[in-house]
Amino acid sequence: MMRRGGAKVASLLLKSARPRLFSTATTSTIRSMSHETTSHLLKPAASMNTWIWSGPGGVRFASTASSGEKTPSPKKTEDDESSTGGNKGIASYWGVEPSKITKEDGTEWKWNCFRPWETYKADLTIDLSKHHVPTTFLDRLAYWTVKSLRWPTDLFFQRRYGCRAMMLETVAAVPGMVGGMLLHFKSLRRFEQSGGWIKALLEEAENERMHLMTFMEVAKPKWYERALVITVQGVFFNAYFLGYLISPKFAHRMVGYLEEEAIHSYTEFLKELDKGNIDNVPAPAIAIDYWRLPADATLRDVVMVVRADEAHHRDVNHFASDIHYQGRELKEAPAPVGYH
């Protein structure tokens, strides 16, 4: 009885599913097709990187990514190779292609790490002598933490200010990213705006990273200096992450003092350049485009604009700490977006 009942159920299911599974094709037709070669059933699509299945049930599409089939890529012309500098372009099924951007004079924009609308002229009139006098316990803790970090840096780099700047920027680019990331998640958790502070802090991190990209062209770090960067960045990131979670006002105050020390370091850098102890080489091309410097700019011009950037970061972080000291949140005060 159980066998007969099961056979009836299976027969009913087969009858109801047959139109969907086999469309108008009969089982005998399908059986006969299984003895024929099926190579003609797979046809490459002319306009897309897929294969078209034209078997029973109509036309269907199968992605080559899952089947492991390789689609022959179109041949590159000489014009295509010349436009990419001889490098082979990356073909994408998804149609994602980088846009071609030109400068104002019509020449090709060569940088992918930043765009023309992200460039600016540094404000060199900013007051470099401003200093926040520590008054509270957290202020003193932040101040002496930065001072204690300066001692081993002076001992290791001494007067090699190019390598010192490279090391400084790998650390200085961490706080903005950590603060922006934590504010980003806070905004998501609380379903609230950030007052622009996420963007402002991430802008700071990106600006510091561009400092590093510039000094990488000037100072070629040795292997042990690269190893030191990895070690210091790993320790500093985790320490600052925990510090920001515990007390944002302490974290921002410490960055403010860190930027004050950066101003001092770049001032010493300029003195060595003026004395002739460091060659005043031509400015790297990336710096000329990023800060809109004149074509004949030198390393001294680069140090000047970088020092001005650090002064702006000093003001932003001391301002952020003051907001927290007043018992308010950053979102309550408009963020200085675009304030380099």
Side-chain angles (χ1 to χ4, degrees):
M1 293 293 292
M2 292 293 292
R3 290 181 180 178
R4 291 180 181 177
K8 289 182 179 181
V9 172
S11 177
L12 290 173
L13 288 174
L14 183 61
K15 287 180 180 179
S16 61
R18 183 176 296 172
R20 299 179 182 177
L21 294 175
F22 305 109
S23 184
T24 56
T26 61
T27 54
S28 60
T29 304
I30 296 173
R31 194 176 295 115
S32 64
M33 286 179 63
S34 63
H35 299 291
E36 299 178 359
T37 59
T38 59
S39 61
H40 67 284
L41 295 177
L42 287 174
K43 302 177 182 178
S47 60
M48 54 195 305
N49 295 335
T50 57
W51 290 95
I52 298 179
W53 171 261
S54 58
V59 177
R60 300 181 183 181
F61 296 89
S63 172
T64 58
S66 59
S67 63
E69 298 287 346
K70 293 183 178 179
T71 307
S73 58
K75 294 182 179 179
K76 259 194 176 301
T77 63
E78 294 181 359
D79 293 338
D80 294 336
E81 291 185 358
S82 63
S83 64
T84 57
N87 297 327
K88 293 183 178 179
I90 300 176
S92 173
Y93 166 77
W94 306 108
V96 179
E97 296 181 2
S99 56
K100 292 184 179 180
I101 302 174
T102 58
K103 296 183 182 180
E104 295 177 355
D105 58 1
T107 58
E108 184 179 357
W109 184 259
K110 59 186 287 188
W111 311 108
N112 291 324
C113 54
F114 67 101
R115 296 304 189 187
W117 49 86
E118 296 168 350
T119 63
Y120 64 99
K121 290 185 178 180
D123 178 17
L124 301 180
T125 63
I126 188 170
D127 186 0
L128 300 172
S129 62
K130 285 197 298 186
H131 167 65
H132 182 278
V133 178
T135 54
T136 66
F137 170 75
L138 283 181
D139 282 357
R140 296 189 186 95
L141 180 62
Y143 179 77
W144 288 111
T145 299
V146 172
K147 285 295 184 181
S148 64
L149 292 175
R150 183 181 179 85
W151 179 79
T153 306
D154 290 341
L155 183 65
F156 184 82
F157 291 104
Q158 297 181 359
R159 294 189 178 276
R160 291 180 295 135
Y161 287 101
C163 295
R164 185 194 190 99
M166 178 205 66
M167 177 68 180
L168 179 66
E169 299 304 340
T170 60
V171 173
V174 171
M177 181 59 67
V178 172
M181 176 186 68
L182 291 176
L183 287 179
H184 172 75
F185 289 128
K186 182 179 180 180
S187 175
L188 297 179
R189 289 194 309 271
R190 296 188 177 182
F191 307 96
E192 64 184 16
Q193 299 290 339
S194 70
W197 280 96
I198 296 174
K199 186 175 181 62
L201 292 177
L202 293 181
E203 275 187 355
E204 177 187 315
E206 176 65 9
N207 181 247
E208 297 284 8
R209 192 184 68 84
M210 290 304 299
H211 294 176
L212 175 63
M213 296 298 103
T214 298
F215 284 112
M216 282 292 295
E217 300 293 326
V218 177
K220 305 298 181 183
K222 299 179 176 60
W223 69 268
Y224 57 86
E225 291 172 336
R226 289 177 178 268
L228 180 64
V229 166
I230 295 173
T231 304
V232 171
Q233 189 183 85
V235 173
F236 183 73
F237 171 83
N238 289 283
Y240 188 80
F241 179 83
L242 292 175
Y244 201 100
L245 287 175
I246 296 171
S247 176
K249 61 184 174 184
F250 165 79
H252 283 292
R253 187 70 77 204
M254 191 184 76
V255 176
Y257 288 130
L258 187 67
E259 300 295 358
E260 290 183 16
E261 291 298 326
I263 295 170
H264 174 75
S265 295
Y266 284 118
T267 301
E268 294 298 316
F269 197 164
L270 287 172
K271 290 179 181 179
E272 293 298 313
L273 283 167
D274 293 338
K275 291 178 182 178
N277 296 331
I278 300 176
D279 293 335
N280 190 22
V281 297
I286 190 171
I288 292 175
D289 285 340
Y290 183 66
W291 282 284
R292 301 178 191 168
L293 297 173
D296 58 348
T298 62
L299 178 58
R300 191 181 193 282
D301 298 318
V302 173
V303 176
M304 290 284 289
V305 294
V306 170
R307 186 178 63 170
D309 287 350
E310 305 295 5
H312 284 84
H313 299 161
R314 170 203 62 192
D315 296 348
V316 170
N317 281 277
H318 280 316
F319 173 53
S321 184
D322 289 344
I323 295 172
H324 284 292
Y325 266 105
Q326 295 173 14
R328 303 168 68 183
E329 294 189 11
L330 293 181
K331 66 176 183 177
E332 299 179 43
V337 178
Y339 181 77
H340 293 289

